[in-house]
Amino acid sequence: GIKNLFDKQLPEMGASYITRLVFDLMAESVFLLHNGVITGAIASRIFPEQKFIEIVFLAVDMTYQLNGYGRLLMNFLKNVNQAREMYDI
């Protein structure tokens, strides 16, 4: 579902590139459900030795944009990584 959202919202990225990064073993994805449908997602890669993360993709379905869902996902990701003592994004 996350891959499909990124494919739809980020068409210039290419399906193979999105697939490779979403299924990377060092990547984590967080998604937001609205009425059982994935409406937003953020994918990031973790670099534990360097203590930072890289945001690879962030997308919100165009139907749900301007509702603060992107901000909600970013804040969640920041809070999770601060708990891991990783402060650089």
Side-chain angles (χ1 to χ4, degrees):
I2 293 171
K3 184 191 140 329
N4 292 337
L5 175 70
F6 291 145
D7 280 341
K8 178 181 171 187
Q9 295 302 122
L10 306 168
E12 299 296 318
M13 291 293 161
S16 63
Y17 179 68
I18 291 171
T19 301
R20 184 169 44 100
L21 291 174
V22 168
F23 291 106
D24 183 336
L25 294 177
M26 295 306 291
E28 288 185 341
S29 296
V30 176
F31 60 92
L32 182 67
L33 289 176
H34 182 81
N35 294 328
V37 177
I38 295 177
T39 57
I42 188 167
S44 60
R45 290 188 65 215
I46 303 166
F47 297 89
E49 280 95 43
Q50 295 87 357
K51 290 204 168 269
F52 80 93
I53 65 164
E54 171 190 28
I55 296 174
V56 181
F57 301 115
L58 170 62
V60 176
D61 187 287
M62 67 178 65
T63 308
Y64 299 97
Q65 289 180 1
L66 303 175
N67 289 313
Y69 291 157
R71 180 181 51 222
L72 182 68
L73 288 164
M74 279 296 297
N75 287 338
F76 179 81
L77 182 69
K78 288 192 304 189
N79 290 336
V80 166
N81 285 295
Q82 286 175 355
R84 295 176 176 162
E85 297 182 4
M86 297 176 82
Y87 302 102
D88 292 324
I89 298 176

